[in-house]
Structures are given as structure tokens and as C-alpha cells.
């Protein structure tokens, strides 16, 4: 039996390079989609529900793609076919988005774009687990964080660069996307595809038999988690868990109806009811075919999650509510609170929106720079403390935006957000992979995404209600709420069991 070999710096560079393109596309999406929605006539309280496409798509796509990629092997490899397929469709969606003639077209394109990006992105997380030994995984995820930060910097800054360096207009008639935004998306499509292609051509994957040999060699290190995953999940557990989610979903629907809550809450209730239904379908399939069905296998793995993954789920929940608040409401919050306007046709609003793009570039640039420092901090302390400190810094920074009236000073809190973002992109995954069985790396990375997208779905369904009814339409308070949520995540991470660090 042989141990998985360590890879050189440049091998890790090549296998991670595709994330440059993925985050380039995500940065354009995160910084500009709310602006596009507002330009096409969306009301401020409707923006979160229009964003619902992104988390719902991730909830559905990522575990399916993770499960499929665990079982794939062809001429391109195990994960690389999904990189390529996702890149093609994501690039096409990036070309279409800024040319959307109506709000419903933009919302539909966001759905396609996010699904395609997820198809490329999810296998990249499992790729690190496949290719690197445990002692290099923190470095591997740090390298991904570097490319994520670098791609996001340029992607976020592109509209600002187009206007201020190349004199491409950032205004347009009502209902038309400004040329600076359109050209940014065109460049994003090209970069996305080229970066993914680099990784596909420069990195070869280990064949299934070699991965199995490595797994046997590492089996003692993951003995407890592998043993747990070999246990069959009883039908009663499917029914119990599905019933709990179904009851919660039903109560949300009933209370929304009786108490006249925002209609967006029906979506959250409906998703929970759908989850209950699928769990019951899985019970029927399991009784007939055992765990041969993909649906049964995914839900079985969900119910057999390692303890570390369950603990990280709570950390991710509060972390990603904060991030979704940032992405949805930065443009509206900063243009109204700092620039004092909500008129999307005005130069002042579009200057503010361009500044938000620059601020997103700042936090992503900080994340790229800090990415390689975090593993060093983790060696001096540990991964949990490193992540907790980073989240505290990010939470305080996000909430402090409320106190700022000069746009130039907004750069300071974005530095804090960037430190948190670098850690969010690396530390939870480095902690998680040490607790996972190698043969389930893809599906568990997909299931782990549940705890990213579920809080986003929750945020998308309640943030509009909170801003409109609790915050009197002032979007800046959504950013304060996000800061508090990130601080809660910082406390939670201290209770996580880091299996690899405790061996």
C-alpha cells in the first residue's frame, strides 16, 4: 500500500487555477446582479426573493454533482468532466445576463448561471481531497482561496475600470444595463472558460484503482468515520427526520397564511415540505432496492454525517446568512445610506454602485493576500482559533459600515471582511476533509453545501421582510444584522472537533 504523494507548489497551483475563472464569474454575479435587477425595475424589498435562484440551485445541484463525480471515470477523469460542462454553460449565461430585456429573463439567467457555476465549483472542493494528502489540504484550500480572491478582485473591479480607466459609460436609459457592466460580463465569460480549461489540460487525476490504494493506506486514520459510514440507516430515521422538516415546513406555511407574513416565506415552507416528501420517497426506494438508488444514497449519507460535519453545519449557517446579507444589500445599503440616493438612473447612484464593485474588489484582494498567511497562523494556534478570530474581525467590520458616511472610509471594513472571507474559503474545508471517508468526498462536499445554501434561502425569504417591515426600508441594517450573525458563527467554531488536528 502506498501513501498519497505530496505535490509541488506548481502542481497545486495548476489544479487550483480554475477557481480563478469560477470566482471571476461569481464576483460579477455578486456585485452586479442586484444592480441589474434594480435597473430592470425590481423593488428593493423584492431583490432577495429574486436571488433565491442561487441557493435553491446549489441545494439541488451540488449533492447530485458530488455523488455523480464520485462514481465517474472517463477519458477526462473523475472531476474534470464536470469542470468543463459547467464552464461552457456558465460562460454562455454570463454573455446573456447583461442583455436581459426584462426582469424575468434576468432572474431565469441567474438560475442557469448559478447552476452552471455550481457544476464546475463543487467537484473542485472534492478535487483537493482526491489529489492531496491531509498535511497538504490546508495549503490546497489556501491556494484555492488565493485564486478565488484574485479572480474576484478583477471581476469586482471591472465595471469601475471600464468607466474610470477606459471611459466606457456607466449610465444608460431606464431599463437598460450600462455598457460598462455588459463588457465586464463578456470578459468574465472568456476568463471563466479559459481558467477552467487550464486546470483540465494541466492536471491529471488519479485513476479509481490508485485512489482505492491510497484510501486503504489512510484507512486507519479515518477508521472511525469509515466505520460509521458502513452502517445502514434505519427506515425509521428517514421518517423521523423527514417528519420533523415536514412539520416545520407546514407550520411556516400555516402561520404565513394566517398571520399574513410575507409571501416569500411560502418558498421556505415549500422547500422543507419537498425535503420531507423526498425523504419518504427514499424510504420506499430503500425498501425495494436498498441503497442502490442515488436519492437513497445521498439521504443516507446525509443522515450518517460525521460529528465534525454536524458541528461545522452550525458555523456555516450563521456565516452564510452574513455573507448573503452583504451580497444582496451592499449596493442598496451603501447607495442609500452613504450616497443618499435610490434613483438607479442617476449618476450618483451608479457612482455608488461602481464604488461597491471596488469595495468587493478590496475584500477579495485582501482575501487573496491573506490566504497564504492563514496556514501559518493555524500552525501557531490551530485551525479553529484561526477561523474564529477571522470571523470576529469580519463580523465587527461588516456591522461598522453603519457608522461610516465617507465612501473612502468604507475600504477599512472591507479589509476586515476580506480576512474573514479568506478563512471562510479554506478553514472549514480543511477541517472537514479530515473527517470524511475518501470514497465519499464528492457527495459530502455537495451535502456540506446544504449548510451554505439553506441559510441563503432563509436569508432570501426573510431579509426582504426584515428590511421592509422591521428596518423601515433601510437596507443598511441588513449589513448590521449580517455582522452580528458572523460573530455568532465565530463562537460556534470553537466547539467543532477537528479530527485531523487531534490525531
Amino acid at each position: 500500500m502506498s501513501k498519497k504523494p505530496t505535490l509541488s507548489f506548481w502542481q497545486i497551483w495548476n489544479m487550483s487555477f480554475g477557481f480563478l475563472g469560477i470566482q471571476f464569474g461569481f464576483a460579477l454575479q455578486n456585485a452586479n446582479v442586484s444592480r441589474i435587477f434594480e435597473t430592470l425595475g425590481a423593488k428593493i424589498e423584492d431583490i432577495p426573493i429574486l436571488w433565491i435562484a442561487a441557493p435553491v440551485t446549489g441545494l439541488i445541484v451540488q449533492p447530485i454533482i458530488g455523488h455523480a463525480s464520485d462514481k465517474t471515470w472517463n477519458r477526462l477523469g473523475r472531476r474534470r468532466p464536470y469542470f468543463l460542462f459547467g464552464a461552457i454553460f456558465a460562460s454562455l449565461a454570463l454573455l446573456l445576463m447583461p442583455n436581459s430585456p426584462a426582469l424575468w429573463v434576468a432572474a431565469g439567467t441567474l438560475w442557469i448561471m448559478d447552476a452552471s457555476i455550481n457544476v464546475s465549483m463543487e467537484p473542485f472542493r472534492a478535487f483537493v481531497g482526491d489529489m492531496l494528502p491531509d498535511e497538504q489540504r490546508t495549503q490546497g484550500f489556501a491556494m484555492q482561496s488565493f485564486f478565488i480572491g484574485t479572480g474576484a478582485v478583477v471581476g469586482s473591479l471591472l465595471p469601475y475600470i471600464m468607466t474610470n480607466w477606459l471611459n466606457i459609460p456607466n449610465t444608460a436609459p431606464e431599463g437598460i444595463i450600462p455598457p460598462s457592466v455588459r463588457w465586464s460580463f463578456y470578459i468574465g465569460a472568456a476568463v471563466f472558460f479559459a481558467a477552467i480549461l487550464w486546470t483540465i489540460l494541466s492536471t491529471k487525476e488519479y485513476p479509481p484503482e490508485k485512489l482505492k490504494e491510497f484510501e486503504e493506506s489512510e484507512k486507519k486514520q479515518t477508521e472511525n468515520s469509515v466505520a460509521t459510514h458502513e452502517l445502514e440507516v434505519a427506515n425509521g430515521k428517514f421518517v423521523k427526520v423527514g417528519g420533523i422538516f415536514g412539520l416545520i415546513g407546514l407550520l411556516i406555511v400555516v402561520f404565513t397564511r394566517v398571520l399574513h407574513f410575507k409571501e416569500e416565506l411560502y418558498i421556505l415552507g415549500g422547500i422543507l415540505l419537498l425535503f420531507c416528501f423526498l425523504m419518504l420517497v427514499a424510504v420506499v426506494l430503500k425498501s425495494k432496492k436498498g441503497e442502490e438508488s442515488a436519492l437513497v444514497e445521498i439521504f443516507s449519507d446525509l443522515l450518517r454525517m460525521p460529528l465534525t460535519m454536524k458541528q461545522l453545519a452550525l458555523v456555516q449557517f450563521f456565516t452564510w446568512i452574513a455573507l448573503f446579507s452583504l451580497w444582496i444589500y451592499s449596493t442598496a445599503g451603501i447607495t442609500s445610506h452613504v450616497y443618499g440616493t435610490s434613483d438607479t438612473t442617476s449618476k450618483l447612484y451608479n457612482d455608488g454602485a461602481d464604488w461597491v464593485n471596488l469595495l468587493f474588489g478590496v475584500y477579495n484582494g485582501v482575501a487573496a493576500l491573506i490566504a497564504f498567511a492563514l496556514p501559518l497562523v493555524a500552525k501557531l494556534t490551530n485551525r479553529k482559533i484561526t477561523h474564529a478570530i477571522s470571523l470576529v474581525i469580519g463580523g465587527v467590520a461588516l456591522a461598522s459600515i453603519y457608522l461610516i458616511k465617507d465612501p473612502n472610509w468604507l475600504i477599512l471594513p472591507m479589509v476586515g471582511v476580506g480576512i474573514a472571507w479568506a478563512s471562510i474559503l479554506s478553514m472549514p474545508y480543511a477541517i472537514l476533509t479530515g473527517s470524511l471517508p475518501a470514497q465519499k468526498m464528492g457527495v459530502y462536499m455537495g451535502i456540506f453545501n446544504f449548510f451554505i445554501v439553506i441559510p441563503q434561502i432563509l436569508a432570501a425569504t426573510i431579509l426582504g421582510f426584515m428590511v421592509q417591515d422591521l428596518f423601515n426600508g433601510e437596507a443598511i441594517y441588513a449589513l448590521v444584522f449580517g455582522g452580528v450573525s458572523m460573530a455568532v458563527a465565530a463562537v460556534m467554531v470553537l466547539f467543532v472537533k477537528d479530527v485531523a488536528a487531534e490525531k
Side-chain angles (χ1 to χ4, degrees), residues 75-97:
R75 291 176 62 186
L76 272 178
R78 188 184 193 190
R79 314 292 182 188
R80 290 181 300 170
Y82 299 92
F83 301 166
L84 181 61
F85 179 81
I88 292 170
F89 283 90
S91 298
L92 292 174
L94 284 164
L95 294 174
L96 178 60
M97 173 61 83

Side-chain angles (χ1 to χ4, degrees), residues 20-354:
L20 177 75
I22 290 173
Q23 196 59 33
F24 204 104
F26 255 133
L28 286 168
Q29 173 183 298
N30 292 339
N32 294 283
V33 166
S34 289
R35 178 182 187 176
I36 290 171
F37 285 160
E38 282 192 88
T39 300
L40 295 174
K43 297 178 181 178
I44 189 70
E45 64 269 20
D46 293 334
I47 289 177
I49 204 64
L50 292 170
W51 270 88
I52 196 78
V56 168
T57 302
L59 186 68
I60 297 169
V61 170
Q62 292 222 18
I64 294 173
I65 294 299
H67 177 270
S69 68
D70 280 342
K71 299 179 180 300
T72 295
W73 183 259
N74 57 36
R75 291 176 62 186
L76 272 178
R78 188 184 193 190
R79 314 292 182 188
R80 290 181 300 170
Y82 299 92
F83 301 166
L84 181 61
F85 179 81
I88 292 170
F89 283 90
S91 298
L92 292 174
L94 284 164
L95 294 174
L96 178 60
M97 173 61 83
N99 294 294
S100 300
L103 183 59
W104 69 268
V105 177
T109 303
L110 175 61
W111 200 294
I112 296 169
M113 184 190 307
D114 206 85
S116 303
I117 291 174
N118 274 298
V119 169
S120 285
M121 184 178 68
E122 195 286 327
F124 258 101
R125 297 295 190 191
F127 202 39
V128 172
D130 290 345
M131 302 296 294
L132 296 177
D134 183 73
E135 62 269 20
Q136 282 196 302
R137 285 173 184 166
T138 301
Q139 182 184 352
F141 287 117
M143 183 72 81
Q144 285 190 357
S145 296
F146 168 75
F147 281 120
I148 288 170
T150 303
V153 168
V154 184
S156 298
L157 289 177
L158 261 186
Y160 181 88
I161 291 171
M162 292 286 175
T163 299
N164 292 277
W165 296 3
L166 303 178
N167 296 317
I168 296 175
N170 69 345
T171 58
E174 186 175 354
I176 303 297
I177 311 303
S180 60
V181 176
R182 290 205 309 273
W183 279 103
S184 297
F185 273 73
Y186 299 158
I187 293 172
V191 171
F192 193 113
F193 186 78
I196 292 288
L197 195 60
W198 178 283
T199 288
I200 291 172
L201 296 177
S202 65
T203 305
K204 291 185 178 181
E205 297 183 74
Y206 295 119
E209 58 273 14
K210 196 68 177 176
L211 283 173
K212 187 174 182 180
E213 183 181 334
F214 293 146
E215 181 187 344
E216 290 297 322
S217 176
E218 296 175 355
K219 196 167 184 179
K220 285 188 177 181
Q221 297 180 355
T222 56
E223 187 176 358
N224 292 334
S225 61
V226 171
T228 299
H229 288 280
E230 290 172 350
L231 298 175
E232 183 177 354
V233 180
N235 287 351
K237 192 167 184 179
F238 279 83
V239 175
K240 180 181 177 181
V241 174
I244 291 171
F245 279 94
L247 179 60
I248 295 171
L250 182 61
L251 289 173
I252 290 173
V253 170
V254 170
F255 279 114
T256 301
R257 174 73 175 176
V258 173
L259 300 178
H260 305 290
F261 291 154
K262 282 281 187 179
E263 292 181 353
E264 288 90 336
L265 289 172
Y266 283 125
I267 296 176
L268 180 60
I271 289 171
L272 294 174
L273 288 170
L274 176 61
F275 184 85
C276 172
F277 173 74
L278 291 175
M279 286 288 257
L280 296 178
V281 170
V283 171
V284 175
L285 292 174
K286 184 171 179 291
S287 299
K288 293 180 178 180
K289 300 181 179 180
E291 289 194 16
E292 293 180 8
S293 165
L295 180 67
V296 175
E297 189 172 350
I298 290 171
F299 277 121
S300 295
D301 289 331
L302 173 65
L303 296 175
R304 294 189 288 233
M305 284 191 303
L307 175 62
T308 297
M309 190 170 175
K310 294 176 183 176
Q311 293 167 332
L312 281 171
L314 287 173
V315 177
Q316 296 292 82
F317 180 85
F318 287 100
T319 298
W320 285 85
I321 281 183
L323 290 171
F324 214 54
S325 301
L326 170 71
W327 293 337
I328 292 177
Y329 278 117
S330 286
T331 299
I334 289 173
T335 54
S336 61
H337 185 70
V338 179
Y339 285 80
T341 182
S342 299
D343 180 4
T344 60
T345 63
S346 69
K347 187 177 186 303
L348 187 60
Y349 172 89
N350 283 286
D351 285 345
D354 282 349

Side-chain angles (χ1 to χ4, degrees), residues 351-430:
D351 285 345
D354 282 349
W355 190 246
V356 171
N357 277 291
L358 186 142
L359 293 174
F360 275 41
V362 168
Y363 90 70
N364 281 293
V366 170
L369 294 174
I370 206 73
F372 294 116
L374 289 177
L376 300 178
V377 177
K379 281 187 177 180
L380 294 174
T381 57
N382 60 51
R383 291 187 285 211
K384 294 192 301 182
I385 290 177
T386 301
H387 194 42
I389 292 171
S390 300
L391 291 176
V392 167
I393 293 171
V396 171
L398 189 54
S400 72
I401 293 174
Y402 175 79
L403 303 174
I404 296 174
K405 289 295 185 180
D406 183 344
N408 293 309
W409 279 101
L410 291 170
I411 292 174
L412 185 59
M414 286 301 157
V415 171
V417 171
I419 293 171
W421 182 230
S423 187
I424 290 165
L425 293 172
S426 57
M427 291 301 155
Y429 297 97

